[in-house]
PDB file of all heavy atoms in Angstrom:
ATOM      1  N   ALA A   1    -173.058  28.813 125.001  1.00  0.00           N
ATOM      2  CA  ALA A   1    -172.162  29.784 125.626  1.00  0.00           C
ATOM      3  C   ALA A   1    -170.729  29.614 125.208  1.00  0.00           C
ATOM      4  O   ALA A   1    -169.951  30.578 125.215  1.00  0.00           O
ATOM      5  CB  ALA A   1    -172.290  29.663 127.161  1.00  0.00           C
ATOM      6  N   THR A   2    -170.316  28.401 124.842  1.00  0.00           N
ATOM      7  CA  THR A   2    -168.881  28.126 124.557  1.00  0.00           C
ATOM      8  C   THR A   2    -168.621  27.840 123.086  1.00  0.00           C
ATOM      9  O   THR A   2    -167.473  27.555 122.749  1.00  0.00           O
ATOM     10  CB  THR A   2    -168.394  26.913 125.370  1.00  0.00           C
ATOM     11  OG1 THR A   2    -169.197  25.747 125.011  1.00  0.00           O
ATOM     12  CG2 THR A   2    -168.550  27.178 126.879  1.00  0.00           C
ATOM     13  N   ARG A   3    -169.636  27.962 122.227  1.00  0.00           N
ATOM     14  CA  ARG A   3    -169.446  27.551 120.841  1.00  0.00           C
ATOM     15  C   ARG A   3    -168.323  28.356 120.137  1.00  0.00           C
ATOM     16  O   ARG A   3    -167.657  27.843 119.260  1.00  0.00           O
ATOM     17  CB  ARG A   3    -170.729  27.601 120.032  1.00  0.00           C
ATOM     18  CG  ARG A   3    -171.258  28.992 119.732  1.00  0.00           C
ATOM     19  CD  ARG A   3    -172.290  28.998 118.598  1.00  0.00           C
ATOM     20  NE  ARG A   3    -173.404  28.076 118.764  1.00  0.00           N
ATOM     21  CZ  ARG A   3    -173.870  27.287 117.767  1.00  0.00           C
ATOM     22  NH1 ARG A   3    -173.350  27.324 116.574  1.00  0.00           N
ATOM     23  NH2 ARG A   3    -174.909  26.553 117.984  1.00  0.00           N
ATOM     24  N   LYS A   4    -168.091  29.633 120.559  1.00  0.00           N
ATOM     25  CA  LYS A   4    -167.047  30.436 119.920  1.00  0.00           C
ATOM     26  C   LYS A   4    -165.665  30.029 120.397  1.00  0.00           C
ATOM     27  O   LYS A   4    -164.644  30.279 119.726  1.00  0.00           O
ATOM     28  CB  LYS A   4    -167.262  31.905 120.235  1.00  0.00           C
ATOM     29  CG  LYS A   4    -168.504  32.478 119.638  1.00  0.00           C
ATOM     30  CD  LYS A   4    -168.692  33.914 120.053  1.00  0.00           C
ATOM     31  CE  LYS A   4    -170.025  34.440 119.576  1.00  0.00           C
ATOM     32  NZ  LYS A   4    -170.377  35.736 120.181  1.00  0.00           N
ATOM     33  N   PHE A   5    -165.573  29.444 121.612  1.00  0.00           N
ATOM     34  CA  PHE A   5    -164.246  29.204 122.225  1.00  0.00           C
ATOM     35  C   PHE A   5    -163.862  27.714 122.220  1.00  0.00           C
ATOM     36  O   PHE A   5    -162.675  27.368 122.248  1.00  0.00           O
ATOM     37  CB  PHE A   5    -164.228  29.692 123.654  1.00  0.00           C
ATOM     38  CG  PHE A   5    -164.787  31.071 123.809  1.00  0.00           C
ATOM     39  CD1 PHE A   5    -166.079  31.269 124.340  1.00  0.00           C
ATOM     40  CD2 PHE A   5    -164.096  32.202 123.378  1.00  0.00           C
ATOM     41  CE1 PHE A   5    -166.607  32.565 124.463  1.00  0.00           C
ATOM     42  CE2 PHE A   5    -164.602  33.443 123.488  1.00  0.00           C
ATOM     43  CZ  PHE A   5    -165.879  33.655 124.045  1.00  0.00           C
ATOM     44  N   TYR A   6    -164.872  26.856 122.236  1.00  0.00           N
ATOM     45  CA  TYR A   6    -164.578  25.437 122.407  1.00  0.00           C
ATOM     46  C   TYR A   6    -165.505  24.638 121.546  1.00  0.00           C
ATOM     47  O   TYR A   6    -166.719  24.622 121.770  1.00  0.00           O
ATOM     48  CB  TYR A   6    -164.749  25.050 123.880  1.00  0.00           C
ATOM     49  CG  TYR A   6    -164.586  23.573 124.146  1.00  0.00           C
ATOM     50  CD1 TYR A   6    -163.327  22.989 124.075  1.00  0.00           C
ATOM     51  CD2 TYR A   6    -165.676  22.769 124.499  1.00  0.00           C
ATOM     52  CE1 TYR A   6    -163.185  21.606 124.297  1.00  0.00           C
ATOM     53  CE2 TYR A   6    -165.538  21.408 124.740  1.00  0.00           C
ATOM     54  CZ  TYR A   6    -164.251  20.830 124.665  1.00  0.00           C
ATOM     55  OH  TYR A   6    -164.111  19.523 124.879  1.00  0.00           O
ATOM     56  N   ALA A   7    -164.966  24.022 120.513  1.00  0.00           N
ATOM     57  CA  ALA A   7    -165.801  23.206 119.617  1.00  0.00           C
ATOM     58  C   ALA A   7    -165.035  21.946 119.221  1.00  0.00           C
ATOM     59  O   ALA A   7    -164.394  21.877 118.187  1.00  0.00           O
ATOM     60  CB  ALA A   7    -166.141  24.037 118.353  1.00  0.00           C
ATOM     61  N   PRO A   8    -165.066  20.937 120.121  1.00  0.00           N
ATOM     62  CA  PRO A   8    -164.323  19.699 119.791  1.00  0.00           C
ATOM     63  C   PRO A   8    -164.899  19.003 118.549  1.00  0.00           C
ATOM     64  O   PRO A   8    -164.170  18.358 117.830  1.00  0.00           O
ATOM     65  CB  PRO A   8    -164.564  18.814 121.029  1.00  0.00           C
ATOM     66  CG  PRO A   8    -165.772  19.352 121.692  1.00  0.00           C
ATOM     67  CD  PRO A   8    -165.817  20.848 121.364  1.00  0.00           C
ATOM     68  N   ARG A   9    -166.164  19.210 118.311  1.00  0.00           N
ATOM     69  CA  ARG A   9    -166.737  18.624 117.061  1.00  0.00           C
ATOM     70  C   ARG A   9    -168.059  19.390 116.838  1.00  0.00           C
ATOM     71  O   ARG A   9    -168.628  19.991 117.718  1.00  0.00           O
ATOM     72  CB  ARG A   9    -166.964  17.145 117.145  1.00  0.00           C
ATOM     73  CG  ARG A   9    -167.967  16.676 118.192  1.00  0.00           C
ATOM     74  CD  ARG A   9    -167.955  15.155 118.262  1.00  0.00           C
ATOM     75  NE  ARG A   9    -168.838  14.648 119.259  1.00  0.00           N
ATOM     76  CZ  ARG A   9    -170.104  14.296 119.052  1.00  0.00           C
ATOM     77  NH1 ARG A   9    -170.618  14.368 117.858  1.00  0.00           N
ATOM     78  NH2 ARG A   9    -170.821  13.812 120.044  1.00  0.00           N
ATOM     79  N   GLU A  10    -168.523  19.297 115.618  1.00  0.00           N
ATOM     80  CA  GLU A  10    -169.782  19.941 115.246  1.00  0.00           C
ATOM     81  C   GLU A  10    -170.942  19.244 115.986  1.00  0.00           C
ATOM     82  O   GLU A  10    -170.925  18.010 116.122  1.00  0.00           O
ATOM     83  CB  GLU A  10    -170.001  19.839 113.742  1.00  0.00           C
ATOM     84  CG  GLU A  10    -169.117  20.796 112.924  1.00  0.00           C
ATOM     85  CD  GLU A  10    -169.480  22.237 113.135  1.00  0.00           C
ATOM     86  OE1 GLU A  10    -170.701  22.552 113.130  1.00  0.00           O
ATOM     87  OE2 GLU A  10    -168.556  23.062 113.302  1.00  0.00           O
ATOM     88  N   TRP A  11    -171.918  20.022 116.397  1.00  0.00           N
ATOM     89  CA  TRP A  11    -173.134  19.414 116.971  1.00  0.00           C
ATOM     90  C   TRP A  11    -174.337  20.009 116.236  1.00  0.00           C
ATOM     91  O   TRP A  11    -174.311  21.148 115.830  1.00  0.00           O
ATOM     92  CB  TRP A  11    -173.183  19.630 118.476  1.00  0.00           C
ATOM     93  CG  TRP A  11    -173.353  21.030 118.944  1.00  0.00           C
ATOM     94  CD1 TRP A  11    -172.393  22.000 118.960  1.00  0.00           C
ATOM     95  CD2 TRP A  11    -174.534  21.657 119.464  1.00  0.00           C
ATOM     96  NE1 TRP A  11    -172.904  23.168 119.419  1.00  0.00           N
ATOM     97  CE2 TRP A  11    -174.214  23.014 119.754  1.00  0.00           C
ATOM     98  CE3 TRP A  11    -175.840  21.177 119.681  1.00  0.00           C
ATOM     99  CZ2 TRP A  11    -175.136  23.856 120.277  1.00  0.00           C
ATOM    100  CZ3 TRP A  11    -176.769  22.048 120.210  1.00  0.00           C
ATOM    101  CH2 TRP A  11    -176.401  23.372 120.510  1.00  0.00           C
ATOM    102  N   ASP A  12    -175.325  19.183 116.101  1.00  0.00           N
ATOM    103  CA  ASP A  12    -176.539  19.573 115.341  1.00  0.00           C
ATOM    104  C   ASP A  12    -177.481  20.304 116.272  1.00  0.00           C
ATOM    105  O   ASP A  12    -178.275  19.685 117.007  1.00  0.00           O
ATOM    106  CB  ASP A  12    -177.196  18.330 114.748  1.00  0.00           C
ATOM    107  CG  ASP A  12    -178.312  18.708 113.743  1.00  0.00           C
ATOM    108  OD1 ASP A  12    -178.839  19.816 113.849  1.00  0.00           O
ATOM    109  OD2 ASP A  12    -178.602  17.859 112.895  1.00  0.00           O
ATOM    110  N   CYS A  13    -177.370  21.625 116.289  1.00  0.00           N
ATOM    111  CA  CYS A  13    -178.177  22.473 117.161  1.00  0.00           C
ATOM    112  C   CYS A  13    -179.665  22.249 116.910  1.00  0.00           C
ATOM    113  O   CYS A  13    -180.445  22.090 117.845  1.00  0.00           O
ATOM    114  CB  CYS A  13    -177.789  23.917 116.945  1.00  0.00           C
ATOM    115  SG  CYS A  13    -178.728  25.111 117.863  1.00  0.00           S
ATOM    116  N   ALA A  14    -180.086  22.241 115.673  1.00  0.00           N
ATOM    117  CA  ALA A  14    -181.510  22.141 115.316  1.00  0.00           C
ATOM    118  C   ALA A  14    -182.063  20.796 115.801  1.00  0.00           C
ATOM    119  O   ALA A  14    -183.185  20.699 116.317  1.00  0.00           O
ATOM    120  CB  ALA A  14    -181.714  22.269 113.834  1.00  0.00           C
ATOM    121  N   GLN A  15    -181.274  19.731 115.660  1.00  0.00           N
ATOM    122  CA  GLN A  15    -181.732  18.398 116.061  1.00  0.00           C
ATOM    123  C   GLN A  15    -181.897  18.338 117.595  1.00  0.00           C
ATOM    124  O   GLN A  15    -182.868  17.809 118.112  1.00  0.00           O
ATOM    125  CB  GLN A  15    -180.734  17.338 115.611  1.00  0.00           C
ATOM    126  CG  GLN A  15    -181.238  15.923 115.744  1.00  0.00           C
ATOM    127  CD  GLN A  15    -180.224  14.909 115.256  1.00  0.00           C
ATOM    128  OE1 GLN A  15    -179.068  15.023 115.571  1.00  0.00           O
ATOM    129  NE2 GLN A  15    -180.676  13.914 114.511  1.00  0.00           N
ATOM    130  N   ALA A  16    -180.927  18.932 118.319  1.00  0.00           N
ATOM    131  CA  ALA A  16    -181.016  18.957 119.796  1.00  0.00           C
ATOM    132  C   ALA A  16    -182.239  19.753 120.271  1.00  0.00           C
ATOM    133  O   ALA A  16    -182.956  19.319 121.156  1.00  0.00           O
ATOM    134  CB  ALA A  16    -179.731  19.526 120.371  1.00  0.00           C
ATOM    135  N   PHE A  17    -182.473  20.895 119.649  1.00  0.00           N
ATOM    136  CA  PHE A  17    -183.604  21.738 120.057  1.00  0.00           C
ATOM    137  C   PHE A  17    -184.925  21.055 119.702  1.00  0.00           C
ATOM    138  O   PHE A  17    -185.938  21.195 120.392  1.00  0.00           O
ATOM    139  CB  PHE A  17    -183.531  23.129 119.418  1.00  0.00           C
ATOM    140  CG  PHE A  17    -182.717  24.097 120.254  1.00  0.00           C
ATOM    141  CD1 PHE A  17    -181.398  24.313 119.979  1.00  0.00           C
ATOM    142  CD2 PHE A  17    -183.303  24.746 121.319  1.00  0.00           C
ATOM    143  CE1 PHE A  17    -180.645  25.188 120.755  1.00  0.00           C
ATOM    144  CE2 PHE A  17    -182.568  25.613 122.116  1.00  0.00           C
ATOM    145  CZ  PHE A  17    -181.239  25.844 121.828  1.00  0.00           C
ATOM    146  N   SER A  18    -184.943  20.242 118.624  1.00  0.00           N
ATOM    147  CA  SER A  18    -186.181  19.583 118.247  1.00  0.00           C
ATOM    148  C   SER A  18    -186.567  18.544 119.343  1.00  0.00           C
ATOM    149  O   SER A  18    -187.739  18.317 119.612  1.00  0.00           O
ATOM    150  CB  SER A  18    -186.077  18.881 116.909  1.00  0.00           C
ATOM    151  OG  SER A  18    -185.240  17.758 116.990  1.00  0.00           O
ATOM    152  N   ARG A  19    -185.569  17.928 120.023  1.00  0.00           N
ATOM    153  CA  ARG A  19    -185.871  17.024 121.099  1.00  0.00           C
ATOM    154  C   ARG A  19    -186.506  17.783 122.284  1.00  0.00           C
ATOM    155  O   ARG A  19    -187.400  17.314 122.929  1.00  0.00           O
ATOM    156  CB  ARG A  19    -184.586  16.319 121.588  1.00  0.00           C
ATOM    157  CG  ARG A  19    -183.978  15.354 120.605  1.00  0.00           C
ATOM    158  CD  ARG A  19    -184.921  14.214 120.238  1.00  0.00           C
ATOM    159  NE  ARG A  19    -185.217  13.315 121.365  1.00  0.00           N
ATOM    160  CZ  ARG A  19    -184.678  12.172 121.532  1.00  0.00           C
ATOM    161  NH1 ARG A  19    -183.756  11.718 120.659  1.00  0.00           N
ATOM    162  NH2 ARG A  19    -185.019  11.351 122.519  1.00  0.00           N
ATOM    163  N   VAL A  20    -186.003  18.984 122.539  1.00  0.00           N
ATOM    164  CA  VAL A  20    -186.533  19.807 123.625  1.00  0.00           C
ATOM    165  C   VAL A  20    -187.955  20.244 123.312  1.00  0.00           C
ATOM    166  O   VAL A  20    -188.847  20.183 124.156  1.00  0.00           O
ATOM    167  CB  VAL A  20    -185.598  21.046 123.865  1.00  0.00           C
ATOM    168  CG1 VAL A  20    -186.271  22.032 124.826  1.00  0.00           C
ATOM    169  CG2 VAL A  20    -184.293  20.568 124.464  1.00  0.00           C
ATOM    170  N   TYR A  21    -188.188  20.708 122.059  1.00  0.00           N
ATOM    171  CA  TYR A  21    -189.525  21.173 121.693  1.00  0.00           C
ATOM    172  C   TYR A  21    -190.543  20.045 121.745  1.00  0.00           C
ATOM    173  O   TYR A  21    -191.715  20.266 122.076  1.00  0.00           O
ATOM    174  CB  TYR A  21    -189.513  21.728 120.257  1.00  0.00           C
ATOM    175  CG  TYR A  21    -188.689  22.955 120.076  1.00  0.00           C
ATOM    176  CD1 TYR A  21    -187.935  23.150 118.885  1.00  0.00           C
ATOM    177  CD2 TYR A  21    -188.625  23.967 121.023  1.00  0.00           C
ATOM    178  CE1 TYR A  21    -187.154  24.266 118.720  1.00  0.00           C
ATOM    179  CE2 TYR A  21    -187.858  25.103 120.820  1.00  0.00           C
ATOM    180  CZ  TYR A  21    -187.127  25.237 119.665  1.00  0.00           C
ATOM    181  OH  TYR A  21    -186.361  26.370 119.510  1.00  0.00           O
ATOM    182  N   ALA A  22    -190.105  18.811 121.498  1.00  0.00           N
ATOM    183  CA  ALA A  22    -191.071  17.684 121.441  1.00  0.00           C
ATOM    184  C   ALA A  22    -191.410  17.169 122.857  1.00  0.00           C
ATOM    185  O   ALA A  22    -192.368  16.412 122.996  1.00  0.00           O
ATOM    186  CB  ALA A  22    -190.458  16.545 120.603  1.00  0.00           C
ATOM    187  N   HIS A  23    -190.623  17.598 123.845  1.00  0.00           N
ATOM    188  CA  HIS A  23    -190.841  17.045 125.187  1.00  0.00           C
ATOM    189  C   HIS A  23    -191.777  17.949 126.002  1.00  0.00           C
ATOM    190  O   HIS A  23    -191.689  19.143 125.947  1.00  0.00           O
ATOM    191  CB  HIS A  23    -189.521  16.900 125.966  1.00  0.00           C
ATOM    192  CG  HIS A  23    -189.662  16.225 127.279  1.00  0.00           C
ATOM    193  ND1 HIS A  23    -189.908  14.880 127.387  1.00  0.00           N
ATOM    194  CD2 HIS A  23    -189.679  16.720 128.532  1.00  0.00           C
ATOM    195  CE1 HIS A  23    -190.029  14.564 128.647  1.00  0.00           C
ATOM    196  NE2 HIS A  23    -189.894  15.653 129.383  1.00  0.00           N
ATOM    197  N   ASP A  24    -192.688  17.349 126.735  1.00  0.00           N
ATOM    198  CA  ASP A  24    -193.611  18.087 127.597  1.00  0.00           C
ATOM    199  C   ASP A  24    -193.021  18.182 128.981  1.00  0.00           C
ATOM    200  O   ASP A  24    -193.212  17.312 129.848  1.00  0.00           O
ATOM    201  CB  ASP A  24    -194.971  17.345 127.637  1.00  0.00           C
ATOM    202  CG  ASP A  24    -195.993  18.051 128.512  1.00  0.00           C
ATOM    203  OD1 ASP A  24    -195.789  19.259 128.820  1.00  0.00           O
ATOM    204  OD2 ASP A  24    -196.988  17.397 128.922  1.00  0.00           O
ATOM    205  N   TYR A  25    -192.262  19.227 129.222  1.00  0.00           N
ATOM    206  CA  TYR A  25    -191.621  19.414 130.537  1.00  0.00           C
ATOM    207  C   TYR A  25    -192.629  19.712 131.620  1.00  0.00           C
ATOM    208  O   TYR A  25    -193.501  20.584 131.433  1.00  0.00           O
ATOM    209  CB  TYR A  25    -190.582  20.551 130.460  1.00  0.00           C
ATOM    210  CG  TYR A  25    -189.318  20.186 129.751  1.00  0.00           C
ATOM    211  CD1 TYR A  25    -189.178  20.407 128.387  1.00  0.00           C
ATOM    212  CD2 TYR A  25    -188.249  19.591 130.441  1.00  0.00           C
ATOM    213  CE1 TYR A  25    -188.008  20.076 127.713  1.00  0.00           C
ATOM    214  CE2 TYR A  25    -187.095  19.222 129.777  1.00  0.00           C
ATOM    215  CZ  TYR A  25    -186.980  19.474 128.435  1.00  0.00           C
ATOM    216  OH  TYR A  25    -185.852  19.100 127.751  1.00  0.00           O
ATOM    217  N   GLN A  26    -192.539  19.019 132.746  1.00  0.00           N
ATOM    218  CA  GLN A  26    -193.479  19.200 133.835  1.00  0.00           C
ATOM    219  C   GLN A  26    -192.807  19.735 135.100  1.00  0.00           C
ATOM    220  O   GLN A  26    -193.436  20.440 135.892  1.00  0.00           O
ATOM    221  CB  GLN A  26    -194.141  17.840 134.170  1.00  0.00           C
ATOM    222  CG  GLN A  26    -194.951  17.211 133.038  1.00  0.00           C
ATOM    223  CD  GLN A  26    -196.243  17.986 132.789  1.00  0.00           C
ATOM    224  OE1 GLN A  26    -196.866  18.461 133.716  1.00  0.00           O
ATOM    225  NE2 GLN A  26    -196.616  18.105 131.530  1.00  0.00           N
ATOM    226  N   GLN A  27    -191.552  19.368 135.298  1.00  0.00           N
ATOM    227  CA  GLN A  27    -190.870  19.732 136.566  1.00  0.00           C
ATOM    228  C   GLN A  27    -190.293  21.122 136.493  1.00  0.00           C
ATOM    229  O   GLN A  27    -189.640  21.517 135.537  1.00  0.00           O
ATOM    230  CB  GLN A  27    -189.776  18.716 136.859  1.00  0.00           C
ATOM    231  CG  GLN A  27    -190.325  17.339 137.067  1.00  0.00           C
ATOM    232  CD  GLN A  27    -189.253  16.277 136.908  1.00  0.00           C
ATOM    233  OE1 GLN A  27    -188.340  16.461 136.079  1.00  0.00           O
ATOM    234  NE2 GLN A  27    -189.352  15.243 137.683  1.00  0.00           N
ATOM    235  N   PRO A  28    -190.507  21.919 137.548  1.00  0.00           N
ATOM    236  CA  PRO A  28    -189.999  23.302 137.557  1.00  0.00           C
ATOM    237  C   PRO A  28    -188.498  23.359 137.348  1.00  0.00           C
ATOM    238  O   PRO A  28    -188.018  24.274 136.613  1.00  0.00           O
ATOM    239  CB  PRO A  28    -190.381  23.784 138.967  1.00  0.00           C
ATOM    240  CG  PRO A  28    -191.550  22.988 139.358  1.00  0.00           C
ATOM    241  CD  PRO A  28    -191.342  21.597 138.726  1.00  0.00           C
ATOM    242  N   MET A  29    -187.712  22.437 137.909  1.00  0.00           N
ATOM    243  CA  MET A  29    -186.269  22.488 137.749  1.00  0.00           C
ATOM    244  C   MET A  29    -185.869  22.291 136.299  1.00  0.00           C
ATOM    245  O   MET A  29    -185.003  22.985 135.788  1.00  0.00           O
ATOM    246  CB  MET A  29    -185.594  21.433 138.636  1.00  0.00           C
ATOM    247  CG  MET A  29    -184.071  21.453 138.556  1.00  0.00           C
ATOM    248  SD  MET A  29    -183.352  22.964 139.149  1.00  0.00           S
ATOM    249  CE  MET A  29    -183.407  22.692 140.895  1.00  0.00           C
ATOM    250  N   ALA A  30    -186.499  21.332 135.633  1.00  0.00           N
ATOM    251  CA  ALA A  30    -186.193  21.068 134.239  1.00  0.00           C
ATOM    252  C   ALA A  30    -186.574  22.287 133.352  1.00  0.00           C
ATOM    253  O   ALA A  30    -185.822  22.661 132.437  1.00  0.00           O
ATOM    254  CB  ALA A  30    -186.909  19.806 133.743  1.00  0.00           C
ATOM    255  N   ILE A  31    -187.722  22.882 133.672  1.00  0.00           N
ATOM    256  CA  ILE A  31    -188.172  24.041 132.912  1.00  0.00           C
ATOM    257  C   ILE A  31    -187.209  25.217 133.112  1.00  0.00           C
ATOM    258  O   ILE A  31    -186.842  25.876 132.158  1.00  0.00           O
ATOM    259  CB  ILE A  31    -189.601  24.441 133.346  1.00  0.00           C
ATOM    260  CG1 ILE A  31    -190.605  23.351 132.910  1.00  0.00           C
ATOM    261  CG2 ILE A  31    -190.023  25.778 132.722  1.00  0.00           C
ATOM    262  CD1 ILE A  31    -192.000  23.495 133.539  1.00  0.00           C
ATOM    263  N   ALA A  32    -186.780  25.394 134.358  1.00  0.00           N
ATOM    264  CA  ALA A  32    -185.842  26.517 134.661  1.00  0.00           C
ATOM    265  C   ALA A  32    -184.528  26.349 133.924  1.00  0.00           C
ATOM    266  O   ALA A  32    -183.890  27.366 133.550  1.00  0.00           O
ATOM    267  CB  ALA A  32    -185.570  26.566 136.163  1.00  0.00           C
ATOM    268  N   GLN A  33    -184.114  25.115 133.665  1.00  0.00           N
ATOM    269  CA  GLN A  33    -182.838  24.916 132.995  1.00  0.00           C
ATOM    270  C   GLN A  33    -182.941  24.973 131.445  1.00  0.00           C
ATOM    271  O   GLN A  33    -181.989  25.352 130.788  1.00  0.00           O
ATOM    272  CB  GLN A  33    -182.236  23.580 133.411  1.00  0.00           C
ATOM    273  CG  GLN A  33    -181.749  23.610 134.858  1.00  0.00           C
ATOM    274  CD  GLN A  33    -181.057  22.329 135.260  1.00  0.00           C
ATOM    275  OE1 GLN A  33    -180.963  21.390 134.502  1.00  0.00           O
ATOM    276  NE2 GLN A  33    -180.578  22.325 136.496  1.00  0.00           N
ATOM    277  N   VAL A  34    -184.124  24.666 130.944  1.00  0.00           N
ATOM    278  CA  VAL A  34    -184.270  24.668 129.471  1.00  0.00           C
ATOM    279  C   VAL A  34    -184.723  26.004 128.924  1.00  0.00           C
ATOM    280  O   VAL A  34    -184.394  26.336 127.792  1.00  0.00           O
ATOM    281  CB  VAL A  34    -185.199  23.523 129.037  1.00  0.00           C
ATOM    282  CG1 VAL A  34    -186.659  23.865 129.158  1.00  0.00           C
ATOM    283  CG2 VAL A  34    -184.887  23.073 127.625  1.00  0.00           C
TER     284      VAL A  34
END
């Protein structure tokens, strides 16, 4: 949401999403946020 306005440093979007894809989320709250 803020990448256009606030970017203190580059972050590896693909690497971060790969951590999410690899995790088996079970809790409704965690699923709702991801």
